Amino acid sequence: MTQTAILYEQPAPHVARIVLNRPEARNAQDTRLLYALNDAFDRAAQDPNVRVIILAATGPHFSSGHDLRESAADADMSQYPTVGTWCGFECAGAEGRMAREKEIYIGFSERWRNIPKPTIAQVQGKCIAGGLMLVWPCDLVVAAEDAAFMDNTVSMGVGGAEFFAHPWELGVRKAKEMLFTADWLTAQEAQRLGMVNHVVPPDRLADFTLALAERIALKPLFALKLAKEAVNAAQDAQGRLPAMQTAFALHQLAHSHNMLVHGLPIDPSGMSPAVAGKGRG
Ligand code: ZN
């Protein structure tokens, strides 16, 4: 636990690279990592010398999702400087859970999606459930040939990850199949569906992504901001935000149901015993 969970690099002029650095845990996201990641995004957003931000990960896998083994002490929100306006993190029942997930899950992902600078996700290996909530908020996605994506939350008795962008990322049919089956989506299939911009050999992933970032960083930043804002506005005009807020409410309903029926925020019947015993969801 001595190493830094998030690295911040400047590999080229006007390019910041933020790196998930918990490879021993397959870059599982605990609360501390998410706040460190948020700090790094804020630093890059506010640095006038940064025009493009890369989000990368060390180790063979991008991210295994939310850390379901995090201790209650580490998850205690009172030790973190909350950035949203929601409150009641210490409350019992659905009130506290909703507050927490509104802040660090849907809240962070939405916040990062709206950073007024181009962001590029650089993905290798497995990217599972909460891992998608780091990739999808980025503007562009470069994947290694070995990258594979999965949302297995239905197996846990929940209807989908908290940042429910599946229909926009994949189209409605593939979104349903991904959720219903929890099958892997390959990098090549994700590219065909428009979720991934480029698929490259693993040994070229970092160089290719950096070259793309450097090329974008040559453009005027204000025009980049406006282009991003315009595309995001087009997506929001299709009803993205209210649909995702509905999905988030359904996600909270699932947690509450599972607590009542199973005594856990997830349904343990579809999970391995080790994970089911701890699940925070
Ligand atoms: Zn949840």
Side-chain angles (χ1 to χ4, degrees):
M1 280 305 294
T2 52
Q3 73 179 3
T4 310
I6 296 291
L7 307 177
Y8 188 96
E9 304 168 346
Q10 292 187 271
H14 306 303
V15 177
R17 183 163 59 207
I18 299 168
V19 185
L20 310 175
N21 189 40
R22 282 189 84 197
E24 76 286 356
R26 297 180 195 173
N27 295 312
Q29 305 158 38
D30 57 14
T31 310
R32 191 169 309 281
L33 178 143
L34 287 169
Y35 274 98
L37 177 56
N38 187 64
D39 286 346
F41 272 129
D42 276 355
R43 177 178 167 187
Q46 297 303 325
D47 184 341
N49 291 314
V50 171
R51 292 188 190 161
V52 179
I53 305 164
I54 295 169
L55 177 62
T58 56
H61 300 295
F62 182 83
S63 177
S64 60
H66 297 150
D67 188 350
L68 302 181
R69 293 176 172 80
E70 183 179 20
S71 70
D74 288 342
D76 179 0
M77 294 290 284
S78 66
Q79 63 199 303
Y80 303 104
T82 55
V83 297
T85 54
W86 208 259
C87 60
F89 301 102
E90 71 289 354
C91 291
E95 187 174 2
R97 176 178 308 283
M98 180 179 181
R100 172 185 171 78
E101 297 203 349
K102 223 170 158 50
E103 161 85 5
I104 68 170
Y105 294 157
I106 192 173
F108 274 168
S109 291
E110 183 70 19
R111 194 167 188 274
W112 302 332
R113 183 234 185 208
N114 295 325
I115 289 170
K117 295 180 178 179
T119 53
I120 308 175
Q122 172 187 311
V123 184
Q124 78 281 11
K126 304 286 192 278
C127 176
I128 303 173
L132 299 167
M133 293 168 50
L134 307 186
V135 172
W136 286 346
C138 291
D139 299 311
L140 307 179
V141 180
V142 180
E145 288 166 346
D146 69 342
F149 306 87
M150 176 209 276
D151 184 349
N152 61 342
T153 47
V154 168
S155 304
M156 296 186 246
V158 180
E162 288 87 353
F163 187 77
F164 197 85
H166 312 57
W168 283 272
E169 295 290 345
L170 306 168
V172 294
R173 297 209 185 282
K174 203 67 192 183
K176 288 173 183 169
E177 186 179 355
M178 182 190 217
L179 290 162
F180 293 170
T181 64
D183 284 346
W184 289 105
L185 187 67
T186 65
Q188 295 75 15
E189 178 77 341
Q191 183 183 30
R192 193 182 65 74
L193 294 165
M195 194 197 108
V196 162
N197 293 85
H198 299 280
V199 179
V200 300
D203 61 355
R204 288 194 56 216
L205 178 65
D207 288 348
F208 183 96
T209 308
L210 182 57
L212 179 61
E214 288 184 276
R215 208 145 52 81
I216 294 170
L218 296 174
K219 311 287 189 212
L221 180 56
F222 189 41
L224 290 169
K225 288 178 189 171
L226 298 180
K228 173 168 182 169
E229 192 81 345
V231 176
N232 281 1
Q235 195 181 36
D236 289 352
Q238 298 169 3
R240 180 196 66 94
L241 191 55
M244 285 179 58
Q245 287 167 335
T246 298
F248 182 74
L250 299 174
H251 181 101
Q252 298 307 311
L253 171 67
H255 281 323
S256 295
H257 169 80
N258 289 329
M259 285 302 296
L260 286 168
V261 175
H262 305 293
L264 290 168
I266 60 174
D267 178 345
S269 63
M271 298 294 296
S272 70
V275 173
K278 290 261 195 160
R280 183 167 288 107

